[in-house]
Amino acid sequence: CLLLQFLSYLRACDRLLKQGYEEGQVEEAMEMFQYSEKKAAEFLHLLAQFNDMGFQQNEIKEVLLLCGNQREKALEELMMK
């Protein structure tokens, strides 16, 4: 059972890495979202998007966690900082 969970985690990380995300960010996101590939992928996508808009990565992470990956709410929070 534990081995299956680990293999599932590795496959999810591999899929996210193939989307172009950095290994450290993938591992961090998977950990933050209790190994939910879907939530980690949403987080990484929004992180990259907001980073491209010029926001600071540490602020983006904080806001996304507080807002539960809700794009509009997170963007609003970032704009107010």
Side-chain angles (χ1 to χ4, degrees):
C1 185
L2 196 56
L3 179 60
L4 290 177
Q5 287 177 327
F6 182 67
L7 290 173
S8 176
Y9 166 79
L10 288 177
R11 283 193 299 272
C13 286
D14 188 53
R15 284 190 291 271
L16 292 170
L17 288 169
K18 284 180 179 171
Q19 292 178 38
Y21 300 115
E22 294 175 19
E23 187 174 349
Q25 289 181 330
V26 167
E27 290 172 359
E28 183 181 25
M30 287 291 285
E31 223 172 275
M32 284 192 299
F33 293 100
Q34 300 170 332
Y35 310 107
S36 165
E37 181 180 357
K38 182 180 182 226
K39 287 184 180 186
E42 289 171 357
F43 174 83
L44 290 167
H45 175 74
L46 291 170
L47 181 66
Q49 206 173 54
F50 291 145
N51 201 33
D52 288 345
M53 291 178 178
F55 294 107
Q56 297 297 313
Q57 195 162 5
N58 58 339
E59 288 181 353
I60 299 168
K61 287 180 183 180
E62 179 186 320
V63 167
L64 286 175
L65 285 173
L66 288 172
C67 296
N69 284 347
Q70 294 178 20
R71 186 188 187 287
E72 298 307 316
K73 192 173 179 183
L75 183 57
E76 199 173 291
E77 287 292 322
L78 287 167
M79 298 289 275
M80 292 191 327
K81 286 190 174 244

